[in-house]
Amino acid sequence: MRDVLPVLGRWYAAGVPFGLATVVEVSRSAPRDPGAAMAVGPDEEVVGSVSGGCVEGAVFELAQEVAEGGEARLETFGYSDEDAFAVGLTCGGEITVLVRAVTPGRDPGFGAVADSVAAGEPVTVATVTDGPAPRGAALAVWPDRTLGTLGASGLDVAVTADARGELALGATGLRHYGPEGQRREDAVSVFLQSFAPPPRMLVFGAIDYAAAVARVGDFLGYRVTVCDARPVFATPRRFPEGVEVVAQWPHRYLRGTDTDERTVICVLTHDPKFDVPLLTEALRRPAAYIGAMGSRRTHAERAARLAEAGLTERELSRLRSPVGLDLGARTPEEVAVSVAAEIVALRWGGSGAPLTETEGAVHPRRSS
C-alpha cells in the first residue's frame, strides 16, 4: 500500500473514484502479506498487486465493479488443483481480499492518510471487513487525532485504542469486536493497517561498499544514512539520491540518534579507532541488525577489543560479523546483496539455505 499511495493520492485529490483491493488475511504459502494492495482507477489503470499475478485478473474485474458504485466486497481466493486455469493461487495458499470504492465522500480521511505516509508521519487505518458494521467503513488513527468512523461510537473508541497500540509496534492484522466495540465478542472484523515511518539503515564508513549497501537499503525501503568522520569521503555526490550523508565521528553521531527494534546498523569502517567506540555504543541500544565488515581475523581482534571495553558475551552475541551471508561475493554490489540477504533472513527467520534444499511452505505463515 505504501508503494501505491502516491498514485492513489492523486486520484483521490482529483475526485476520481477508484476500486481498492487490500489483502486482509492469508494462510499457508500466500505470496503477499496482509496490507498488500492493488487499485483500479480511471481508464482501467492498475497499480499494485495482491498476489504476484495469480488472481490479479479476477481482482481487477471486482475492483472495477466496486468502483462503479457497488458495495464493498470480501472475497477469498485459494488453490484449485482441478483446473489449472481456474482463478486460484497456484502456490497452494489462500488470501482474503477486501475490495472497496474510495472517494472523498466515502472515505474523508484517505487524502490525509496519503499525506501523512508521504511525510513519514505514523498513522493506522482501520477498515471494517465483516459483520453488522458497514463493510468498507474506514477510520484513520494518528497518535493525536482521528478522522472517519466505523459506524458506531463505541466501536470507534475501542478500535482507536487498539490502532494506537498497533501503530507503536508497526503491526498490521485483523481484530474482532462486538457491535459497540466489546472486547470479548467477534461479531465485527476490523483490519488494522499501520503505516509507521520507514525503518532506518545506518551505514558507517563512506567507502565503495557503503554506496552499494546504501543503494540496496533504499531499494528495500529503509531510510538510509551514511556517516563517516572524513569529510572528503562523506559527500552526497558519492551516494544515491535520497541517502542522507553525515560527516561526523560515527560513535558521536550514533549517540545522538534514536534507534528502535527495526533499525539496521552496518559498520563498514574497518578501522579499530572507529569500530570499537561505535560498536560499543551500537551493541547497547535497540536494533534489529548490527553487522560489521572484516575478515575472521579482524573480527577476532575486534571482539577482543570490545570485550576489553566492557561488553558482555550477551552483547557481543548480537554482532553479525563477518557481515553478510556466504554467497561468494566479491564486488561491492555482490557484498551488498550478501548483506541484504542476511538482513532479510534475520527479519523473517529464514535459514539462508537454497530453497531446493528446504521443505515446507516457501512463504511460511508469519505473525502480524
Side-chain angles (χ1 to χ4, degrees):
M1 176 70 88
R2 187 186 298 273
D3 295 336
V4 302
L5 268 176
V7 175
L8 305 190
R10 291 196 295 271
W11 292 349
Y12 184 88
V16 177
F18 58 89
L20 176 61
T22 305
V23 177
V24 298
E25 193 170 18
V26 303
S27 66
R28 299 192 297 279
S29 185
R32 303 296 304 274
D33 286 334
M38 170 180 161
V40 179
D43 300 321
E44 298 186 348
E45 183 179 356
V46 179
V47 293
S49 170
V50 293
S51 71
C54 302
V55 300
E56 312 297 65
V59 174
F60 171 82
E61 294 179 1
L62 190 58
Q64 271 191 314
E65 294 176 11
V66 171
E68 291 170 359
E71 297 297 320
R73 300 268 298 275
L74 189 69
E75 297 286 344
T76 297
F77 300 92
Y79 175 70
S80 171
D81 57 3
E82 297 177 357
D83 182 357
F85 297 99
V87 171
L89 295 169
T90 55
C91 58
E94 186 175 273
I95 62 172
T96 299
V97 179
L98 174 69
V99 185
R100 64 189 182 98
V102 178
T103 64
R106 287 175 177 262
D107 189 347
F110 190 90
V113 169
D115 291 341
S116 289
V117 173
E121 182 182 12
V123 60
T124 295
V125 178
T127 311
V128 174
T129 65
D130 205 6
R135 178 175 288 160
L139 172 69
V141 180
W142 290 266
D144 58 351
R145 66 190 188 280
T146 64
L147 186 57
T149 180
L150 302 181
S153 58
L155 184 59
D156 287 347
V157 169
V159 170
T160 296
D162 289 345
R164 287 177 174 151
E166 297 291 83
L167 185 57
L169 300 172
T172 287
L174 279 173
R175 288 292 189 100
H176 305 281
Y177 306 88
E180 287 294 331
Q182 297 91 330
R183 298 286 184 177
R184 297 187 178 183
E185 299 184 23
D186 58 4
V188 181
S189 297
V190 179
F191 182 63
L192 301 181
Q193 185 170 13
S194 297
F195 296 95
R200 299 200 65 182
M201 173 182 279
L202 306 178
V203 182
F204 294 96
I207 60 177
D208 48 358
Y209 290 94
V213 170
R215 191 175 299 111
V216 77
D218 180 68
F219 177 75
L220 291 176
Y222 288 93
R223 182 163 66 93
V224 182
T225 298
V226 176
C227 176
D228 196 300
R230 303 162 295 182
V232 67
F233 295 113
T235 59
R237 67 176 178 272
R238 300 184 65 235
F239 296 93
E241 184 180 357
V243 171
E244 180 186 28
V245 181
V246 176
Q248 190 175 342
W249 274 81
H251 71 284
R252 292 174 185 164
Y253 173 77
L254 183 58
R255 190 173 296 157
T257 300
D258 291 333
T259 63
D260 59 26
E261 287 74 11
R262 302 184 301 154
T263 303
V264 166
I265 299 174
C266 298
V267 179
L268 312 179
T269 44
H270 207 267
D271 186 330
K273 69 176 178 289
F274 296 126
D275 291 0
V276 173
L278 172 58
L279 287 170
T280 299
E281 177 70 28
L283 293 168
R284 288 173 170 167
R285 59 167 51 230
Y289 176 91
I290 304 170
M293 177 176 282
S295 66
R296 297 192 189 282
R297 178 178 177 178
T298 298
H299 168 70
E301 293 173 351
R302 182 192 293 130
R305 289 190 176 96
L306 289 170
E308 290 174 3
L311 270 75
T312 66
E313 288 188 12
R314 182 176 181 180
E315 289 169 336
L316 286 171
S317 69
R318 300 179 62 203
L319 180 60
R320 315 290 292 192
S321 176
V323 70
L325 296 185
D326 180 15
L327 304 182
R330 294 290 187 274
T331 67
E333 291 74 19
E334 290 173 344
V335 170
V337 170
S338 168
V339 173
E342 184 175 41
I343 291 170
V344 173
L346 190 64
R347 178 184 181 187
W348 296 115
S351 67
L355 289 173
T356 56
E357 298 177 4
T358 63
E359 298 179 353
V362 173
H363 304 283
R365 186 167 185 173
R366 300 184 278 261
S367 58
S368 296

